[in-house]
Amino acid sequence: AQERRPISTLSGGETFLCSLALALGLAATRRHRLPIETLLLDEGFGTLDPVSLDQAIAALEDLQARGARVGIISHVEALAVRIPAKLRVEPLGRGRSRVVVA
């Protein structure tokens, strides 16, 4: 509606998309002086509606296709289906765990 809104009124999904846009912009801006080769995202995808989730994943896939490594920490099933490479941390008990490459 072309209205200005205070940041405090953004939903969780809108906040996540703003953070993602800033991270992608930083990665693009710093590419020449200080290459950012890996982008690691920890959650936030669960706050997105299906259309926004698809757009976010497409942007990350594009970044990955251009040579960047993208790591995502998430429980969102749509990501598990769409992203083939996975690392899973499994608890073994007594404070121990193992990493499984799937």
Side-chain angles (χ1 to χ4, degrees):
Q2 301 297 322
E3 289 186 34
R4 291 183 180 219
R5 293 171 44 196
I7 292 174
S8 61
T9 66
L10 297 178
S11 69
E14 290 169 325
T15 301
F16 175 75
L17 289 176
C18 287
S19 297
L20 179 59
L22 289 170
L24 293 174
L26 177 63
T29 301
R30 303 284 308 232
R31 188 176 306 147
H32 301 291
R33 288 191 183 151
L34 178 64
I36 297 175
E37 297 174 355
T38 303
L39 181 64
L40 183 61
L41 302 168
D42 184 4
E43 282 303 330
F45 291 95
T47 62
L48 301 177
D49 62 83
V51 172
S52 297
L53 178 61
D54 187 59
Q55 291 172 337
I57 294 171
L60 294 172
E61 287 173 334
D62 180 62
L63 185 64
Q64 189 267 336
R66 289 185 280 137
R69 282 173 281 205
V70 179
I72 299 171
I73 301 167
S74 184
H75 65 278
V76 175
E77 186 63 29
L79 289 169
V81 170
R82 192 148 165 194
I83 299 172
K86 295 170 188 61
L87 292 176
R88 196 172 61 245
V89 178
E90 296 180 345
L92 298 174
R94 301 174 84 145
R96 299 183 67 217
S97 60
R98 71 175 170 200
V99 175
V100 178
V101 179

